[in-house]
Amino acid sequence: MLCANAIAQQDEWYASRPDGHAPIEIMGDHYHEKGELMCSYRYMLMKMDGVRRDSHKINKEEVLKKYQMSPNAMTMDMHMFGVMYALSDRVTLMAMGSYKILLMKSIWMQHNTTKNPVSHKFDSKGNNITKSKNKGAPINSGFSDTKVGTLIKIFNKTSQSLHLNTMLIIPTGSIEEKGTTMSVDLRSAYPMQLGAGSWGTMLGFTYLVQGEALSGGVQPIITNYFGDNPEGYKIGNKINLSSWMAFKASDWVSVSAVLQYQLQSKTEGSDPIIKEQNNKMFEKAGKRHMMPGFESTFLGGSILNTGLGVNLYVPKGILKGIRLGVQYSLPIHQDVNGIQMSIQNNFTLGLQYSLKVNHRLGKPKP
């Protein structure tokens, strides 16, 4: 795995170096020594632009043949707060909460005011911006689902480490969010909701390997939701596979390349309120539904991302123990279920601070 024999040249895997942590977008990548505490903050910005059906981009005219509205541009800002505490050298507790801000920058809406339908671009407040620039406005914001769990060390030897990732998903994010669409208050589309609404688990493992200058890791995680949420639907289960390699340029800096794959099954069931809104529009708008985001089966699919990252680590001095991570990712393949917005890029910035970070995970370093 990741040329482990070629990379591994020291006795055990160490956290106290810039590449001792994975690229900042990857969670649960490392454990701690007994008594260590780490607090973290991450900011992630995801940009979406345009629409695709399955693996192909499509234009708004194709969407407006069947729907009254077509999304045009959207951003998701996420603020993530985490804490890790090691009960022992083998068991590390972990908790993470997040706050989402969803902004629909613009949508296209078709009007049948003439013999030939006319498309206009509107911002989220219903202002016609067909010929003007739009800075966007918040649609929904609030806390998303909470994750708590444990990281369990299996082994750490010959510069390789393996631990289990076991997390519980607590449905603290709202699935009853409302938004204003063309001056009408409606329950927001499925992608605009803040959580899954169901309890679930995230189970997997993380394998790490480390040499004098090179390091890497692999992390498969399976997310499974338990039954329908209170609104009558169940978000599809997910498989995430992350792999990365890093180069330690100095005691302070490392650079990394990452490859991430996600596969998510279709949603089962539907929200009766969203379904009713969609059906009413179907009768009023010439046999066209509201918009693709109101279809419960138009969630999930597969995406392959690649990215670059930089980790900064302060090994000594007044700022000792502080880490700063930056990662920028682009999708190289997307194959969505139904019709969805197209992801353009992800940007993640994170700050981490550990107490006793120059303690290693085994015996003192010679």
Side-chain angles (χ1 to χ4, degrees):
M1 299 175 76
L2 291 175
C3 304
N5 292 333
I7 297 177
Q9 296 179 4
Q10 53 192 39
D11 292 335
E12 294 186 357
W13 176 86
Y14 294 92
S16 301
R17 45 188 275 180
D19 60 336
H21 289 192
I24 194 65
E25 194 173 305
I26 298 172
M27 317 289 181
D29 59 291
H30 66 280
Y31 48 89
H32 288 267
E33 184 187 45
K34 181 180 179 179
E36 282 190 341
L37 174 70
M38 189 190 85
C39 298
S40 65
Y41 165 76
R42 290 176 173 88
Y43 167 74
M44 186 186 79
L45 172 63
M46 177 187 291
K47 292 184 178 181
M48 290 160 275
D49 186 75
V51 183
R52 64 174 57 239
R53 177 190 289 120
D54 302 324
S55 60
H56 307 288
K57 286 187 176 182
I58 59 176
N59 56 41
K60 67 180 185 300
E61 285 76 18
E62 291 185 65
V63 178
L64 295 175
K65 288 178 182 178
K66 294 185 177 181
Y67 296 92
Q68 183 71 6
M69 291 177 284
S70 175
N72 182 64
M74 175 182 166
T75 61
M76 180 183 74
D77 298 72
M78 185 180 295
H79 302 272
M80 294 168 279
F81 307 90
V83 61
M84 300 175 72
Y85 177 74
L87 287 178
S88 67
D89 288 348
R90 186 168 294 275
V91 178
T92 297
L93 303 181
M94 179 178 176
M96 178 164 286
S98 59
Y99 188 90
K100 285 184 180 179
I101 304 172
L102 303 168
L103 300 96
M104 182 66 73
K105 288 194 170 185
S106 60
I107 61 173
W108 286 95
M109 182 170 180
Q110 186 161 280
H111 290 277
N112 293 308
T113 55
T114 64
K115 185 175 181 180
N116 297 315
V118 178
S119 298
H120 293 284
K121 187 189 289 186
F122 292 84
D123 66 13
S124 55
K125 293 183 177 180
N127 300 312
N128 192 325
I129 57 166
T130 305
K131 296 182 180 180
S132 64
K133 294 182 178 180
N134 173 48
K135 296 182 179 179
I139 294 291
N140 291 327
S141 62
F143 288 99
S144 186
D145 293 339
T146 302
K147 302 178 180 77
V148 297
T150 58
L151 307 177
I152 304 171
K153 182 178 74 171
I154 303 301
F155 68 77
N156 179 11
K157 59 183 180 180
T158 61
S159 300
Q160 300 172 69
S161 175
L162 177 68
H163 67 266
L164 301 180
N165 298 70
T166 61
M167 302 293 290
L168 176 69
I169 301 172
I170 303 173
T172 52
S174 170
I175 56 171
E176 300 178 355
E177 292 298 296
K178 295 181 178 180
T180 301
T181 303
M182 301 309 299
S183 302
V184 178
D185 289 333
L186 300 171
R187 176 161 290 184
S188 297
Y190 292 100
M192 302 296 108
Q193 299 300 328
L194 301 174
S198 301
W199 291 75
T201 57
M202 297 175 66
L203 304 176
F205 66 86
T206 304
Y207 169 77
L208 303 167
V209 61
Q210 191 176 75
E212 289 298 322
L214 293 177
S215 63
V218 175
Q219 184 190 77
I221 300 289
I222 297 175
T223 302
N224 179 61
Y225 291 102
F226 306 144
D228 291 350
N229 59 33
E231 299 305 315
Y233 63 95
K234 174 180 174 291
I235 295 294
N237 297 330
K238 292 187 288 188
I239 297 175
N240 289 81
L241 177 61
S242 300
S243 61
W244 65 95
M245 293 195 70
F247 172 70
K248 183 170 77 74
S250 71
D251 291 340
W252 291 66
V253 181
S254 67
V255 294
S256 58
V258 61
L259 193 66
Q260 296 173 290
Y261 175 75
Q262 177 178 288
L263 175 65
Q264 182 175 16
S265 61
K266 289 185 178 180
T267 297
E268 299 174 7
S270 60
D271 183 323
I273 295 177
I274 295 178
K275 186 176 182 179
E276 182 181 5
Q277 292 172 172
N278 216 12
N279 290 337
K280 284 183 177 180
M281 179 58 69
F282 184 77
E283 297 300 326
K284 293 180 180 180
K287 305 301 181 182
R288 294 197 310 277
H289 286 297
M290 180 79 75
M291 63 188 302
F294 284 79
E295 307 279 5
S296 63
T297 55
F298 288 3
L299 293 173
S302 63
I303 182 169
L304 180 64
N305 285 334
T306 185
L308 297 175
V310 176
N311 283 0
L312 303 178
Y313 168 63
V314 183
K316 57 186 178 180
I318 191 171
L319 299 178
K320 179 179 178 180
I322 291 179
R323 293 177 181 267
L324 180 68
V326 179
Q327 182 180 336
Y328 181 79
S329 300
L330 294 169
I332 56 178
H333 178 73
Q334 298 179 68
D335 189 357
V336 303
N337 294 327
I339 299 174
Q340 299 182 36
M341 295 201 70
S342 184
I343 297 174
Q344 296 300 298
N345 54 64
N346 289 330
F347 171 78
T348 305
L349 174 68
L351 183 66
Q352 300 169 318
Y353 175 69
S354 299
L355 288 85
K356 299 164 54 177
V357 290
N358 83 329
H359 286 204
R360 53 165 311 208
L361 299 175
K363 299 176 183 178
K365 185 176 180 179

